[in-house]
Amino acid sequence: MTHAMDDETFSQVLDTVRRFARERLVPAEPQLEALDDIPADIVQDMRDLGLFGLSIPEEYGGLALSTLQESQVVEALCYASMSFRSLVGTNVGIGAQGIVMEGTEAQKQQYLPGLASGELIASFALTEPDHGSDASHIRTSARADGSDFIINGTKRYITNAIRADVFTLFARTNPDDPGAGGVSAFLLPADTPGITIATPDKKMGQKGTKTSDVILEDVRIPADCIVGGPKNLNRGFRTAMKVLDRGRIHVSSMAVGTAQRMLDEALTYAMTRQQFGVPISDHQLVQGLLADCQAELAAGRALVRETARKYDATGAAALEASCAKYFCTEMAGRVADRAVQVHGGAGYMAEYPIERLYRDARLLRIYEGTSQIQQIIIARNIIKAAQGL
């Protein structure tokens, strides 16, 4: 069972985040796009609101939200550009959750208070140039050398790498096992000698997010930096999968938040834009586009909330998390497309927010497991269940 903040306090937190997203972040979106970075004063505001510590236990300075509560806060935050969320996302989700779920007490004491306050930034280094969705076959090697490991390899598209203070890094500790069983997860301080962070990537959308290659050359790290300690040697893939389940609920919530924003943009435009002497919202074909957005959005929101409830109740929801990630991110893509269509030619122009939101939404169907990987997971799960396995 996941502990949760009491309802009254949470209601206040959610209301604060909702107002912050709409009144502070939405007006700052043009500045974010122009700078390709998050303004420093907004970073500090996000620290002050406790947004870096949403999912970190209270005893380490976090807000200790349940998955359901986190889902609602992420949805509210992603009413504004999802790039703002990317700054806190690795601390709330994949960057820190391995420590929360599997870390030793010493590792928790060392990292979680700083991650909760936003003074430290965590990053999740799993993807490689040749292995993104197929995470079980990673090639980055961690060779035992006495009580240390020597790490060599390259990680790709690592969010917040350039900002990171600590990486949860996955490397192959058992070269004789080419699959999932030979991988360990390490907590790697970013200032360890031998780490090079490449220039941040230029991307289609989500300006202000920072992804980079991380190059590791003879990086020496003690065995007690394995997440959970040396007893978790060769169990890193299990850690990654546990973290990604909750991460997929998080991404589903992002998709719902941005879909709501895009629908609102389309609705506002349709009610003010006149064609044939009436607002275009009076035209039934435009109403059909808006209705499809609303129906799918409602379905996605219900699915992610129910999945979060199950995860909180049981600590696992692999099938449901994949269903939510697949449906909600594809839904956001369809809403983006219809919202541009409602805007007509204006939707293709950079002066309207929908042009940027459309580009930003495209990434949702790729990261933390592509839609195709989710389809494979869903199918395997239901086939196994039908076989009685």
PDB file of all heavy atoms in Angstrom, residues 315-338:
ATOM      1  N   GLY A 315       0.876  -2.179  -5.428  1.00  0.00           N
ATOM      2  CA  GLY A 315       2.304  -1.994  -5.700  1.00  0.00           C
ATOM      3  C   GLY A 315       2.731  -2.475  -7.066  1.00  0.00           C
ATOM      4  O   GLY A 315       3.915  -2.485  -7.397  1.00  0.00           O
ATOM      5  N   ALA A 316       1.776  -2.873  -7.892  1.00  0.00           N
ATOM      6  CA  ALA A 316       2.089  -3.337  -9.255  1.00  0.00           C
ATOM      7  C   ALA A 316       0.877  -3.116 -10.153  1.00  0.00           C
ATOM      8  O   ALA A 316      -0.262  -3.255  -9.712  1.00  0.00           O
ATOM      9  CB  ALA A 316       2.463  -4.809  -9.247  1.00  0.00           C
ATOM     10  N   ALA A 317       1.157  -2.760 -11.407  1.00  0.00           N
ATOM     11  CA  ALA A 317       0.071  -2.610 -12.379  1.00  0.00           C
ATOM     12  C   ALA A 317       0.686  -2.575 -13.779  1.00  0.00           C
ATOM     13  O   ALA A 317       0.451  -1.661 -14.555  1.00  0.00           O
ATOM     14  CB  ALA A 317      -0.718  -1.327 -12.109  1.00  0.00           C
ATOM     15  N   ALA A 318       1.476  -3.613 -14.086  1.00  0.00           N
ATOM     16  CA  ALA A 318       2.240  -3.611 -15.342  1.00  0.00           C
ATOM     17  C   ALA A 318       1.323  -3.539 -16.558  1.00  0.00           C
ATOM     18  O   ALA A 318       1.528  -2.710 -17.454  1.00  0.00           O
ATOM     19  CB  ALA A 318       3.127  -4.851 -15.419  1.00  0.00           C
ATOM     20  N   LEU A 319       0.305  -4.393 -16.601  1.00  0.00           N
ATOM     21  CA  LEU A 319      -0.616  -4.406 -17.740  1.00  0.00           C
ATOM     22  C   LEU A 319      -1.372  -3.083 -17.826  1.00  0.00           C
ATOM     23  O   LEU A 319      -1.439  -2.449 -18.883  1.00  0.00           O
ATOM     24  CB  LEU A 319      -1.605  -5.571 -17.610  1.00  0.00           C
ATOM     25  CG  LEU A 319      -2.770  -5.584 -18.622  1.00  0.00           C
ATOM     26  CD1 LEU A 319      -2.251  -5.695 -20.045  1.00  0.00           C
ATOM     27  CD2 LEU A 319      -3.737  -6.709 -18.318  1.00  0.00           C
ATOM     28  N   GLU A 320      -1.921  -2.651 -16.703  1.00  0.00           N
ATOM     29  CA  GLU A 320      -2.733  -1.437 -16.694  1.00  0.00           C
ATOM     30  C   GLU A 320      -1.899  -0.198 -17.029  1.00  0.00           C
ATOM     31  O   GLU A 320      -2.362   0.699 -17.735  1.00  0.00           O
ATOM     32  CB  GLU A 320      -3.411  -1.257 -15.331  1.00  0.00           C
ATOM     33  CG  GLU A 320      -4.436  -2.322 -15.001  1.00  0.00           C
ATOM     34  CD  GLU A 320      -3.837  -3.619 -14.429  1.00  0.00           C
ATOM     35  OE1 GLU A 320      -2.595  -3.707 -14.309  1.00  0.00           O
ATOM     36  OE2 GLU A 320      -4.612  -4.534 -14.112  1.00  0.00           O
ATOM     37  N   ALA A 321      -0.658  -0.151 -16.514  1.00  0.00           N
ATOM     38  CA  ALA A 321       0.211   0.996 -16.794  1.00  0.00           C
ATOM     39  C   ALA A 321       0.546   1.078 -18.283  1.00  0.00           C
ATOM     40  O   ALA A 321       0.587   2.170 -18.865  1.00  0.00           O
ATOM     41  CB  ALA A 321       1.488   0.916 -15.968  1.00  0.00           C
ATOM     42  N   SER A 322       0.768  -0.080 -18.901  1.00  0.00           N
ATOM     43  CA  SER A 322       1.025  -0.091 -20.344  1.00  0.00           C
ATOM     44  C   SER A 322      -0.223   0.319 -21.131  1.00  0.00           C
ATOM     45  O   SER A 322      -0.119   1.059 -22.112  1.00  0.00           O
ATOM     46  CB  SER A 322       1.496  -1.473 -20.806  1.00  0.00           C
ATOM     47  OG  SER A 322       2.867  -1.634 -20.531  1.00  0.00           O
ATOM     48  N   CYS A 323      -1.386  -0.161 -20.704  1.00  0.00           N
ATOM     49  CA  CYS A 323      -2.646   0.244 -21.364  1.00  0.00           C
ATOM     50  C   CYS A 323      -2.826   1.762 -21.259  1.00  0.00           C
ATOM     51  O   CYS A 323      -3.190   2.424 -22.237  1.00  0.00           O
ATOM     52  CB  CYS A 323      -3.847  -0.449 -20.726  1.00  0.00           C
ATOM     53  SG  CYS A 323      -3.999  -2.203 -21.117  1.00  0.00           S
ATOM     54  N   ALA A 324      -2.588   2.302 -20.069  1.00  0.00           N
ATOM     55  CA  ALA A 324      -2.779   3.742 -19.856  1.00  0.00           C
ATOM     56  C   ALA A 324      -1.773   4.546 -20.682  1.00  0.00           C
ATOM     57  O   ALA A 324      -2.140   5.525 -21.344  1.00  0.00           O
ATOM     58  CB  ALA A 324      -2.635   4.076 -18.379  1.00  0.00           C
ATOM     59  N   LYS A 325      -0.516   4.126 -20.653  1.00  0.00           N
ATOM     60  CA  LYS A 325       0.519   4.845 -21.396  1.00  0.00           C
ATOM     61  C   LYS A 325       0.203   4.821 -22.888  1.00  0.00           C
ATOM     62  O   LYS A 325       0.299   5.836 -23.589  1.00  0.00           O
ATOM     63  CB  LYS A 325       1.878   4.197 -21.110  1.00  0.00           C
ATOM     64  CG  LYS A 325       3.104   5.093 -21.301  1.00  0.00           C
ATOM     65  CD  LYS A 325       3.512   5.310 -22.723  1.00  0.00           C
ATOM     66  CE  LYS A 325       4.752   6.154 -22.859  1.00  0.00           C
ATOM     67  NZ  LYS A 325       5.164   6.336 -24.265  1.00  0.00           N
ATOM     68  N   TYR A 326      -0.186   3.676 -23.381  1.00  0.00           N
ATOM     69  CA  TYR A 326      -0.499   3.513 -24.806  1.00  0.00           C
ATOM     70  C   TYR A 326      -1.717   4.356 -25.188  1.00  0.00           C
ATOM     71  O   TYR A 326      -1.664   5.182 -26.102  1.00  0.00           O
ATOM     72  CB  TYR A 326      -0.740   2.028 -25.106  1.00  0.00           C
ATOM     73  CG  TYR A 326      -1.170   1.728 -26.515  1.00  0.00           C
ATOM     74  CD1 TYR A 326      -0.478   2.246 -27.602  1.00  0.00           C
ATOM     75  CD2 TYR A 326      -2.259   0.888 -26.768  1.00  0.00           C
ATOM     76  CE1 TYR A 326      -0.864   1.955 -28.903  1.00  0.00           C
ATOM     77  CE2 TYR A 326      -2.651   0.592 -28.061  1.00  0.00           C
ATOM     78  CZ  TYR A 326      -1.958   1.126 -29.131  1.00  0.00           C
ATOM     79  OH  TYR A 326      -2.337   0.845 -30.409  1.00  0.00           O
ATOM     80  N   PHE A 327      -2.815   4.197 -24.460  1.00  0.00           N
ATOM     81  CA  PHE A 327      -4.048   4.884 -24.839  1.00  0.00           C
ATOM     82  C   PHE A 327      -3.925   6.399 -24.661  1.00  0.00           C
ATOM     83  O   PHE A 327      -4.288   7.176 -25.550  1.00  0.00           O
ATOM     84  CB  PHE A 327      -5.250   4.371 -24.034  1.00  0.00           C
ATOM     85  CG  PHE A 327      -6.531   5.074 -24.412  1.00  0.00           C
ATOM     86  CD1 PHE A 327      -7.255   4.688 -25.526  1.00  0.00           C
ATOM     87  CD2 PHE A 327      -6.988   6.160 -23.677  1.00  0.00           C
ATOM     88  CE1 PHE A 327      -8.405   5.355 -25.898  1.00  0.00           C
ATOM     89  CE2 PHE A 327      -8.141   6.840 -24.043  1.00  0.00           C
ATOM     90  CZ  PHE A 327      -8.855   6.439 -25.155  1.00  0.00           C
ATOM     91  N   CYS A 328      -3.421   6.838 -23.512  1.00  0.00           N
ATOM     92  CA  CYS A 328      -3.415   8.275 -23.210  1.00  0.00           C
ATOM     93  C   CYS A 328      -2.479   9.055 -24.129  1.00  0.00           C
ATOM     94  O   CYS A 328      -2.807  10.168 -24.563  1.00  0.00           O
ATOM     95  CB  CYS A 328      -3.040   8.515 -21.751  1.00  0.00           C
ATOM     96  SG  CYS A 328      -4.286   7.949 -20.581  1.00  0.00           S
ATOM     97  N   THR A 329      -1.320   8.483 -24.444  1.00  0.00           N
ATOM     98  CA  THR A 329      -0.387   9.217 -25.305  1.00  0.00           C
ATOM     99  C   THR A 329      -0.870   9.243 -26.755  1.00  0.00           C
ATOM    100  O   THR A 329      -0.735  10.257 -27.435  1.00  0.00           O
ATOM    101  CB  THR A 329       1.036   8.618 -25.229  1.00  0.00           C
ATOM    102  OG1 THR A 329       1.006   7.246 -25.606  1.00  0.00           O
ATOM    103  CG2 THR A 329       1.600   8.744 -23.819  1.00  0.00           C
ATOM    104  N   GLU A 330      -1.456   8.142 -27.214  1.00  0.00           N
ATOM    105  CA  GLU A 330      -2.047   8.139 -28.562  1.00  0.00           C
ATOM    106  C   GLU A 330      -3.237   9.097 -28.608  1.00  0.00           C
ATOM    107  O   GLU A 330      -3.458   9.808 -29.591  1.00  0.00           O
ATOM    108  CB  GLU A 330      -2.470   6.722 -28.955  1.00  0.00           C
ATOM    109  CG  GLU A 330      -1.304   5.748 -29.156  1.00  0.00           C
ATOM    110  CD  GLU A 330      -0.571   5.953 -30.477  1.00  0.00           C
ATOM    111  OE1 GLU A 330      -1.136   6.567 -31.403  1.00  0.00           O
ATOM    112  OE2 GLU A 330       0.585   5.493 -30.578  1.00  0.00           O
ATOM    113  N   MET A 331      -4.030   9.111 -27.541  1.00  0.00           N
ATOM    114  CA  MET A 331      -5.161  10.038 -27.432  1.00  0.00           C
ATOM    115  C   MET A 331      -4.688  11.480 -27.540  1.00  0.00           C
ATOM    116  O   MET A 331      -5.270  12.299 -28.269  1.00  0.00           O
ATOM    117  CB  MET A 331      -5.880   9.798 -26.098  1.00  0.00           C
ATOM    118  CG  MET A 331      -6.989  10.780 -25.756  1.00  0.00           C
ATOM    119  SD  MET A 331      -6.414  12.285 -24.904  1.00  0.00           S
ATOM    120  CE  MET A 331      -5.928  11.624 -23.305  1.00  0.00           C
ATOM    121  N   ALA A 332      -3.608  11.824 -26.825  1.00  0.00           N
ATOM    122  CA  ALA A 332      -3.088  13.195 -26.869  1.00  0.00           C
ATOM    123  C   ALA A 332      -2.655  13.569 -28.286  1.00  0.00           C
ATOM    124  O   ALA A 332      -2.841  14.716 -28.720  1.00  0.00           O
ATOM    125  CB  ALA A 332      -1.924  13.356 -25.895  1.00  0.00           C
ATOM    126  N   GLY A 333      -2.106  12.599 -29.009  1.00  0.00           N
ATOM    127  CA  GLY A 333      -1.727  12.846 -30.406  1.00  0.00           C
ATOM    128  C   GLY A 333      -2.939  13.152 -31.271  1.00  0.00           C
ATOM    129  O   GLY A 333      -2.903  14.059 -32.121  1.00  0.00           O
ATOM    130  N   ARG A 334      -4.022  12.421 -31.044  1.00  0.00           N
ATOM    131  CA  ARG A 334      -5.245  12.673 -31.822  1.00  0.00           C
ATOM    132  C   ARG A 334      -5.877  14.013 -31.447  1.00  0.00           C
ATOM    133  O   ARG A 334      -6.367  14.744 -32.315  1.00  0.00           O
ATOM    134  CB  ARG A 334      -6.239  11.522 -31.615  1.00  0.00           C
ATOM    135  CG  ARG A 334      -5.775  10.200 -32.231  1.00  0.00           C
ATOM    136  CD  ARG A 334      -6.869   9.146 -32.218  1.00  0.00           C
ATOM    137  NE  ARG A 334      -7.199   8.686 -30.882  1.00  0.00           N
ATOM    138  CZ  ARG A 334      -6.621   7.639 -30.269  1.00  0.00           C
ATOM    139  NH1 ARG A 334      -5.658   6.976 -30.872  1.00  0.00           N
ATOM    140  NH2 ARG A 334      -7.011   7.269 -29.055  1.00  0.00           N
ATOM    141  N   VAL A 335      -5.868  14.337 -30.170  1.00  0.00           N
ATOM    142  CA  VAL A 335      -6.398  15.630 -29.730  1.00  0.00           C
ATOM    143  C   VAL A 335      -5.572  16.767 -30.335  1.00  0.00           C
ATOM    144  O   VAL A 335      -6.128  17.771 -30.811  1.00  0.00           O
ATOM    145  CB  VAL A 335      -6.428  15.727 -28.183  1.00  0.00           C
ATOM    146  CG1 VAL A 335      -6.739  17.148 -27.719  1.00  0.00           C
ATOM    147  CG2 VAL A 335      -7.462  14.760 -27.608  1.00  0.00           C
ATOM    148  N   ALA A 336      -4.245  16.624 -30.337  1.00  0.00           N
ATOM    149  CA  ALA A 336      -3.367  17.639 -30.929  1.00  0.00           C
ATOM    150  C   ALA A 336      -3.721  17.867 -32.388  1.00  0.00           C
ATOM    151  O   ALA A 336      -3.841  19.013 -32.851  1.00  0.00           O
ATOM    152  CB  ALA A 336      -1.907  17.204 -30.800  1.00  0.00           C
ATOM    153  N   ASP A 337      -3.912  16.773 -33.113  1.00  0.00           N
ATOM    154  CA  ASP A 337      -4.213  16.868 -34.541  1.00  0.00           C
ATOM    155  C   ASP A 337      -5.559  17.567 -34.774  1.00  0.00           C
ATOM    156  O   ASP A 337      -5.676  18.459 -35.619  1.00  0.00           O
ATOM    157  CB  ASP A 337      -4.221  15.459 -35.143  1.00  0.00           C
ATOM    158  CG  ASP A 337      -4.151  15.503 -36.656  1.00  0.00           C
ATOM    159  OD1 ASP A 337      -3.077  15.849 -37.176  1.00  0.00           O
ATOM    160  OD2 ASP A 337      -5.170  15.216 -37.313  1.00  0.00           O
ATOM    161  N   ARG A 338      -6.565  17.180 -34.004  1.00  0.00           N
ATOM    162  CA  ARG A 338      -7.887  17.802 -34.171  1.00  0.00           C
ATOM    163  C   ARG A 338      -7.861  19.268 -33.758  1.00  0.00           C
ATOM    164  O   ARG A 338      -8.531  20.107 -34.370  1.00  0.00           O
ATOM    165  CB  ARG A 338      -8.923  17.061 -33.322  1.00  0.00           C
ATOM    166  CG  ARG A 338      -9.215  15.636 -33.768  1.00  0.00           C
ATOM    167  CD  ARG A 338     -10.374  15.071 -32.941  1.00  0.00           C
ATOM    168  NE  ARG A 338     -10.402  13.624 -33.027  1.00  0.00           N
ATOM    169  CZ  ARG A 338     -10.105  12.809 -32.010  1.00  0.00           C
ATOM    170  NH1 ARG A 338      -9.773  13.294 -30.827  1.00  0.00           N
ATOM    171  NH2 ARG A 338     -10.162  11.509 -32.182  1.00  0.00           N
TER     172      ARG A 338
END
